[in-house]
Amino acid sequence: MGKRAIIELRGIVKRFYIGTPNELTVLNGIDLTVYEGEFVAIVGQSGSGKSTLMNIIGALDRPTEGEYTLDGVNIIEAKDAELSGIRNRKIGFVFQTYNLISKTNAIKNVELPMLYAGISGKRRTARAKELLTLVGMEKRMKHLPEELSGGQKQRVAIARAMSNEPAIILADEPTGALDSGTGRMVMDLFHKLHKEQGKTIVLITHSPELADETERVITIKDGEILGERRGMGRNVNI
């Protein structure tokens, strides 16, 4: 392909309740490479293992076996403190439930990862304003999450995910809590970030229709990759 690999998973196994009668293998030998600038979907039904795989890709959990390199860093050998920094700087998370801080306005929510990264207040505010404008939330910067619609909350969450210029954006069912029209707006925003900013995006979804909009669709079932295919992609002008 010629592009640099951002995510490299080799032989990833994840077991729970190890050594007990209830021992459960959720991931069973996952091999996956995602390249810089790709928009990839991981699709599967509930119980397929896709959420566990997302937690491992996001360095939120460690595999039982296997190798994982993220943007040149060996995640398996990284200490917990190092992983915390990797999650903050290399990965932008977008969750189904938004995960915004309720008592804090949109601009402060977007600033938060930059605060943890040690970026000065003036730079944080300037960057947060720039990102909120990018996602069409320039008129809602001072609003609290409770004053925003679901789609607006998700736009703030996407702006926050981009605050530290992460190597990848990891989106877990980002339209799952939204009606179809609002979900369409959020997906269009991901396409815009991918097309105009060259962002590497990994979309976790149970929806084959959403998965089809990406460049590459990876299907997971019973903890194994069933196969992959080219997606249809989508041309978006917003």
Side-chain angles (χ1 to χ4, degrees):
M1 178 174 264
K3 289 191 175 181
R4 186 171 68 93
I6 285 275
I7 293 168
E8 291 184 275
L9 300 172
R10 294 290 175 267
I12 294 293
V13 173
K14 182 62 181 179
R15 297 190 185 97
F16 294 95
Y17 316 117
I18 294 169
T20 75
N22 297 326
E23 182 167 313
L24 180 65
T25 301
V26 178
L27 297 177
N28 192 14
I30 297 285
D31 293 332
L32 174 63
T33 302
V34 176
Y35 295 93
E36 192 170 33
E38 265 198 302
F39 192 172
V40 175
I42 298 173
V43 65
Q45 296 304 312
S46 294
S48 62
K50 68 183 189 299
S51 294
T52 302
L53 180 58
M54 189 218 78
N55 286 340
I56 287 172
I57 291 172
L60 296 166
D61 199 1
R62 293 178 185 267
T64 310
E65 297 172 18
E67 301 172 6
Y68 178 22
T69 304
L70 170 65
D71 198 23
V73 176
N74 186 329
I75 298 298
I76 307 301
E77 294 179 356
K79 302 283 191 294
D80 285 347
E82 191 182 351
L83 285 181
S84 179
I86 287 164
R87 284 192 296 270
N88 188 40
R89 290 181 177 84
K90 290 190 179 290
I91 305 163
F93 292 97
V94 181
F95 298 100
Q96 179 175 335
T97 50
Y98 323 123
N99 286 18
L100 299 176
I101 295 174
S102 60
K103 305 290 187 208
T104 301
N105 67 23
I107 201 161
K108 294 294 184 188
N109 265 286
V110 175
E111 282 186 35
L112 196 60
M114 295 183 276
L115 176 67
Y116 291 137
I119 293 169
S120 71
K122 196 172 179 181
R123 280 181 60 204
R124 287 200 308 269
T125 303
R127 172 99 176 125
K129 286 179 177 177
E130 177 189 318
L131 288 169
L132 285 167
T133 301
L134 179 71
V135 300
M137 289 293 291
E138 62 274 14
K139 294 180 180 174
R140 296 280 190 275
M141 292 187 187
K142 299 291 177 67
H143 286 60
L144 296 173
E146 67 187 25
E147 299 171 316
L148 301 174
S149 69
Q152 289 170 339
K153 288 177 191 173
Q154 198 59 294
R155 284 171 173 255
V156 173
I158 291 167
R160 180 186 59 188
M162 292 172 53
S163 61
N164 282 332
E165 290 285 356
I168 63 165
I169 293 175
L170 193 55
D172 184 19
E173 300 281 8
T175 64
L178 305 174
D179 63 70
S180 59
T182 310
R184 173 74 270 144
M185 287 167 55
V186 168
M187 280 301 292
D188 284 349
L189 182 52
F190 281 121
H191 287 296
K192 179 181 177 183
L193 295 176
H194 174 244
K195 188 175 177 182
E196 295 180 9
Q197 305 228 339
K199 291 293 178 190
T200 307
I201 303 173
V202 178
L203 171 72
I204 315 288
T205 183
H206 69 274
S207 165
E209 292 81 17
L210 288 185
D212 272 339
E213 293 187 18
T214 67
E215 296 173 315
R216 185 158 60 107
V217 182
I218 294 149
T219 303
I220 184 171
K221 183 179 181 182
D222 298 331
E224 297 182 353
I225 290 178
L226 273 188
E228 64 172 76
R229 57 186 169 80
R230 289 182 64 84
M232 306 289 288
R234 183 178 173 89
N235 290 319
V236 177
N237 296 303
I238 58 171

